[in-house]
Amino acid sequence: MIHKIIIPTPFAVGDVNAYLIKGDILTLVDAGPKTEQALSALKNGIFEAGYQLSDIEQVILTHHHPDHSGCIDAFKNAQILGHAYNQVWLEKNHSFLTYHDEFYYKCLVEEGVPEHYLKWIEKMRRPLNYIGNRSLDTILNEGDVIPGHPKLQVLETLGHAQSHISLWEEETGVLIGGDLIIEKISSNPLIEPPLDKDAPRPKSMLQYNESLKRVQALEVHKVFSGHGNEVYDVSELISSRLIKQRERALKVLEMMSNGEKTIFELTQQLFPKVYEKELGLTLSETIGQIDYLLDEGLILEKQTAEGILLYDQA
């Protein structure tokens, strides 16, 4: 049995969902942001299902983003489970935070972002205040079976986050999908640093598309989503999302008809009213379209002596 708990957040995305799963082990999937309002909603939702915070035996994170991983500290008797990539965000150690800043600084330079916007890196750290302070007890990998729920299997569904997993029950066709599939909007594949400092930047949009295609190939009848209502007609929705994503990429391609562009210049054209307020999100979206076009062989990339990347039609 899956019991849904709706939790308020201080973010533009609005409420987030957590799910209480009854089985041999009482399990909570996701834990809202680290706020008093979120913790109160969790307490009330768990109480409505007939339990208390202390009864929760394990908490599973679909991913590390602050609206999903904040209140884990409240579950003193629970084990915390999730993808290995959660760990660095939960531990918040100095070396990772330094690397975090260096990674985004390099990205902003490559994207052609003017110097006066580079202070945005400081804002990228702010969500850390809403993430819990407990390390994972157990790392979940592709194909693992969830303890206490022998029919529930881990699917690695990267893209929206480098820590993203979904929980799949083949027998019922039910997917607990985190932010992979949301009813009203398509999730933003966010640019995040790789765990290996020497590895190339993960191509989040390509990962996200592959995760969608993977789920589409399954007989999913119902998705318990990280935000909003449950999702049905999953295959049709995914097809529609993939078509729209290609259309957005081709719109970016058209923007290069009069010559080469930087990521920042394309972002200004794509999001003229919001790029300054939501620079990280809008740059991530533009980078995703560029990765898609490069993968399709539709554009060319070159780098200037200053390290700025330029893109033009092939």
Side-chain angles (χ1 to χ4, degrees), residues 122-136:
E122 297 173 12
K123 294 184 179 181
M124 290 180 174
R125 277 201 185 196
R126 290 179 186 173
L128 288 169
N129 297 326
Y130 296 98
I131 294 177
N133 294 310
R134 283 187 59 183
S135 296
L136 294 177

Side-chain angles (χ1 to χ4, degrees), residues 13-33:
V13 71
D15 295 342
V16 66
N17 299 326
Y19 295 98
L20 189 65
I21 311 176
K22 300 177 183 179
D24 294 335
I25 294 177
L26 187 62
T27 300
L28 183 72
V29 179
D30 286 337

Side-chain angles (χ1 to χ4, degrees), residues 3-289:
H3 176 75
K4 179 178 177 179
I5 303 171
I6 300 173
I7 304 168
T9 81
F11 308 117
V13 71
D15 295 342
V16 66
N17 299 326
Y19 295 98
L20 189 65
I21 311 176
K22 300 177 183 179
D24 294 335
I25 294 177
L26 187 62
T27 300
L28 183 72
V29 179
D30 286 337
K34 191 176 181 180
T35 67
E36 290 296 327
Q37 294 87 347
L39 182 58
S40 177
L42 268 173
K43 285 180 180 177
N44 291 338
I46 291 169
F47 182 77
E48 287 172 6
Y51 300 97
Q52 300 178 23
L53 293 185
S54 58
D55 294 323
I56 304 300
E57 296 173 275
Q58 64 185 8
V59 179
I60 297 173
L61 300 178
T62 60
H63 57 298
H64 69 278
H65 291 168
D67 51 333
H68 295 260
S69 63
C71 287
I72 55 175
D73 304 25
F75 298 95
K76 307 298 184 184
N77 299 330
Q79 298 282 297
I80 310 298
L81 294 77
H83 190 283
Y85 191 86
N86 287 284
Q87 198 75 289
V88 290
W89 297 90
L90 297 176
E91 292 176 346
K92 306 179 186 69
N93 65 67
H94 178 73
S95 62
F96 172 72
L97 294 178
T98 300
Y99 163 54
H100 168 280
D101 292 353
E102 291 171 349
F103 170 83
Y104 284 114
Y105 181 84
K106 181 175 183 290
C107 286
L108 292 176
V109 169
E110 290 178 344
E111 292 153 14
V113 176
E115 188 173 352
H116 65 275
Y117 286 109
L118 297 182
K119 61 184 179 182
W120 187 263
I121 293 171
E122 297 173 12
K123 294 184 179 181
M124 290 180 174
R125 277 201 185 196
R126 290 179 186 173
L128 288 169
N129 297 326
Y130 296 98
I131 294 177
N133 294 310
R134 283 187 59 183
S135 296
L136 294 177
D137 296 296
T138 300
I139 291 173
L140 294 175
N141 297 298
E142 167 70 27
D144 284 351
V145 173
I146 299 301
H149 306 274
K151 296 179 181 179
L152 208 54
Q153 184 179 17
V154 175
L155 301 183
E156 188 179 63
T157 48
L158 306 184
H160 175 65
Q162 294 304 305
S163 60
H164 203 288
I165 60 171
S166 301
L167 307 180
W168 168 233
E169 189 172 80
E170 183 176 12
E171 184 175 280
T172 60
V174 166
L175 184 81
I176 300 176
D179 285 0
L180 178 66
I181 300 172
I182 299 173
E183 181 190 35
K184 299 295 185 182
I185 59 171
S186 182
S187 294
N188 193 338
L190 299 176
I191 301 304
E192 294 175 332
L195 286 181
D196 181 355
K197 296 180 182 180
D198 297 322
R201 170 183 63 78
K203 295 186 176 181
S204 304
M205 180 67 80
L206 301 184
Q207 290 176 323
Y208 182 68
N209 287 349
E210 287 306 309
S211 293
L212 287 179
K213 291 173 185 176
R214 182 183 186 194
V215 168
Q216 189 175 38
L218 303 172
E219 293 186 12
V220 178
H221 301 304
K222 182 178 184 179
V223 176
F224 286 98
S225 176
H227 302 272
N229 298 322
E230 290 70 55
V231 180
Y232 302 89
D233 300 321
V234 176
S235 181
E236 292 83 354
L237 179 62
I238 290 174
S239 291
S240 172
R241 295 266 166 90
L242 291 171
I243 289 169
K244 289 179 181 178
Q245 196 272 302
R246 181 172 178 81
E247 290 173 350
R248 287 195 296 272
L250 294 178
K251 179 181 177 182
V252 173
L253 179 65
E254 180 62 26
M255 290 177 181
M256 301 173 206
S257 59
N258 59 350
E260 59 193 19
K261 295 284 194 304
T262 66
I263 293 285
F264 183 71
E265 289 169 338
L266 293 167
T267 300
Q268 286 179 302
Q269 286 185 254
L270 277 171
F271 306 101
K273 296 181 179 180
V274 297
Y275 78 89
E276 289 186 301
K277 183 180 178 182
E278 299 289 353
L279 190 61
L281 290 174
T282 54
L283 287 171
S284 282
E285 174 69 20
T286 306
I287 292 166
Q289 307 309 335

